[in-house]
Amino acid sequence: NGGSSSGGIKGSSGGAIGNMAGASILGGGGGSAVEKQFLGGSEAKLGSLSDKLGALDVMGASLTSDQLDKNQSSSGNIPSSQKTAIPSHLYKLVRDLIDTEKRDFSLLELSKKREDFPDLAPILWHSFGTIAALLQEIVSIYPLLSPPRLTTELSNRCCNALALLQCVASHPETRSAFLSAHIPLYLYPFLNTVCEYKQYEYLRLTSLGVIGALVKMDDSDVIKFLLQTQIIPLCLRIMDNGSGLSKTVATFIIQKILLDDQGLDYICLTFERFSTVSDVLRKMVLGLKKQPSVRLLKHICRCYLRLSENKHAREALQTCIPNELRDHTFAEFLKDDSERLTRKWLQQLRRNIGDIQDNNNMLK
């Protein structure tokens, strides 16, 4: 199983599954029973959609007086510092989320206003029945995933619910409770879809945005939680077969996982895990020759650089890193001053794997 070629990365009897399906392909952490129930086994190629969704932004919102007092009577956990003047109709929209007849309009309006009120998340989390209503919107979509019967209207409605959950995921006061409730697992069936229709891509992309908001906080507890789930194989499959924007967000998530010591150790623990990640990154580099993306190249370079900081992975990279990162294939794309950091990462990567000799060694 190639354990010796890594110079110390452990072999595993499980092996890597080539198409990154929902079952664990990285040789560990089979996932909870709830997660296994959520994840399906269908496989196909994703479409090449590049539609941008506002839900990928890191979002938030803000509290006010009368309704805040009512919320505090039930939860008592919202700081008084958040008693800022916001329209009273915002609370009505939150309250209307538990009314199935008014929910569609409330989802749409709240998703539009989420960026205007940075502390909307505590309102959503502490209001009676609100999170349950958002989860109900998500779960109701499951039967439409396979065979694919999801309409654009239902997809947009679910994406609005996901956008509100992203508020909760990214807010420092609600993020821990969000993880403790294992809410990210409810998104994994959307990440596991393979239908090429645009409405399914919207779900994948918005779900990635929620996970992206979590990892962007650089919280070790977030990484620890995600490593116990199937987020790595799910992201790897999207990186392998997804659309341009989905590839970028999924690669960003893997990058943030790698930047945490727990994540780097997890991926480099076995040769199968390392080689699976490395193979997907290599395939993406080759794909960039046909469809260049400076943003995606930046995340790929950072992933490789972080891998090269592990002794055993660094030895393996000496033989498996793509030549396109060793020559000047992407020099034209990285010539702008704005890409100075990416050029620095690429140079350091080549130095780490021995392509560029340090000055001290050259003076020998």
Side-chain angles (χ1 to χ4, degrees), residues 47-53 198 201-202 205 243-246:
S48 298
L49 302 171
S50 59
D51 305 88
K52 294 184 178 180
L53 297 179
K198 184 178 296 186
E201 175 64 6
Y202 285 162
L205 194 51
S243 72
L245 189 54
S246 290

Side-chain angles (χ1 to χ4, degrees), residues 92-136:
K92 182 180 185 305
L93 290 173
V94 173
R95 186 172 63 250
D96 286 346
L97 287 174
I98 62 176
D99 187 334
T100 55
E101 295 183 358
K102 300 178 180 179
R103 185 180 299 168
D104 192 14
F105 177 78
S106 295
L107 287 171
L108 179 60
E109 291 301 306
L110 286 170
S111 66
K112 290 179 180 178
K113 300 175 186 297
R114 64 185 184 269
E115 294 179 357
D116 297 330
F117 305 103
D119 293 316
L120 175 61
I123 299 177
L124 293 172
W125 186 260
H126 295 292
S127 297
F128 176 78
T130 300
I131 298 300
L134 297 178
L135 293 179
Q136 186 180 48

Side-chain angles (χ1 to χ4, degrees), residues 62-64 68 78-85 91 119 122 171 173:
S62 182
L63 298 182
T64 67
L68 178 63
I78 304 176
S80 59
S81 62
Q82 293 177 2
K83 295 183 180 179
T84 56
Y91 296 104
D119 293 316
H171 198 283
E173 292 182 22

Side-chain angles (χ1 to χ4, degrees), residues 321-353:
I321 199 168
N323 291 330
E324 287 75 9
L325 295 182
R326 307 179 107 144
D327 55 28
H328 300 289
T329 299
F330 300 111
E332 184 68 19
F333 305 120
L334 301 177
K335 65 180 181 180
D336 292 342
D337 288 342
S338 60
E339 301 307 325
R340 186 182 307 168
L341 183 59
T342 306
R343 294 197 302 270
K344 180 181 178 180
W345 288 343
L346 197 53
Q347 185 178 38
Q348 184 61 48
L349 169 63
R350 295 178 61 197
R351 183 177 290 111
N352 287 355
I353 63 175

Side-chain angles (χ1 to χ4, degrees), residues 139-253:
V139 173
S140 68
I141 299 297
Y142 290 171
L144 306 178
L145 297 179
S146 181
R149 290 173 288 132
L150 181 63
T151 65
T152 300
E153 180 181 1
L154 288 175
S155 175
N156 290 339
R157 175 167 167 160
C158 187
C159 286
N160 289 333
L162 290 169
L164 296 182
L165 285 180
Q166 184 169 334
C167 293
V168 180
S170 59
H171 198 283
E173 292 182 22
T174 53
R175 183 170 62 249
S176 179
F178 185 84
L179 290 177
S180 296
H182 290 191
I183 291 179
L185 295 182
Y186 286 89
L187 280 55
Y188 285 13
F190 300 149
L191 298 180
N192 199 44
T193 58
V194 291
C195 183
E196 298 179 4
Y197 297 146
K198 184 178 296 186
Q199 56 265 37
Y200 290 86
E201 175 64 6
Y202 285 162
L203 286 179
R204 284 189 291 268
L205 194 51
T206 315
S207 298
L208 284 170
V210 179
I211 306 300
L214 280 172
V215 299
K216 192 174 184 179
M217 299 299 107
D218 294 323
D219 186 338
S220 291
D221 289 338
V222 170
I223 303 302
K224 181 179 180 181
F225 171 84
L226 292 176
L227 290 178
Q228 299 175 48
T229 73
Q230 297 298 302
I231 193 60
I232 291 179
L234 289 171
C235 282
L236 288 177
R237 184 172 64 182
I238 293 173
M239 290 162 62
D240 194 27
N241 295 316
S243 72
L245 189 54
S246 290
K247 281 177 180 283
T248 302
V249 181
T251 307
F252 170 76
I253 293 171

